[in-house]
Amino acid sequence: QYHSSYINVGFTWTGEQDEPRPQCVLCYAVLANKSLKPANLWRHLETNHAAFKDKPPEFFQHKLNELKQGKVTMFAHAK
């Protein structure tokens, strides 16, 4: 299950609530549900975004807000 603390390593979730898939707020990659473990999320951050690994949770929350705003904008343009 997704836990709200996962934003601290740059992850939100997408997909179905009963089977959430982790989504990186930096590169927007969607990982498999089985990757929804803190160690796997941390490994993605360290491997792919090492420059951001020491950022505070507020940084990732800001990136999440940008991602959500982008989804709203894309949805509005699709209509």
Side-chain angles (χ1 to χ4, degrees):
Q1 288 287 11
Y2 178 79
H3 190 272
S4 60
S5 68
Y6 294 167
I7 192 64
N8 297 341
V9 290
F11 278 87
T12 186
W13 69 277
T14 190
E16 301 297 321
Q17 194 164 5
D18 60 337
E19 195 169 327
R21 296 179 62 193
Q23 182 175 23
C24 178
V25 299
L26 298 172
C27 67
Y28 310 135
V30 177
L31 307 180
N33 179 267
K34 65 183 180 181
S35 298
L36 201 51
K37 297 176 185 160
N40 294 341
L41 303 178
W42 180 252
R43 183 172 51 235
H44 174 88
L45 181 64
E46 283 190 314
T47 303
N48 298 292
H49 313 293
F52 299 100
K53 69 180 185 175
D54 295 321
K55 293 289 187 181
E58 295 80 17
F59 172 81
F60 296 113
Q61 185 63 50
H62 179 73
K63 289 296 190 181
L64 173 59
N65 293 341
E66 288 179 357
L67 172 63
K68 287 180 178 179
Q69 185 59 42
K71 285 183 179 179
V72 169
T73 302
M74 284 182 12
F75 181 73
H77 288 292
K79 285 185 173 183

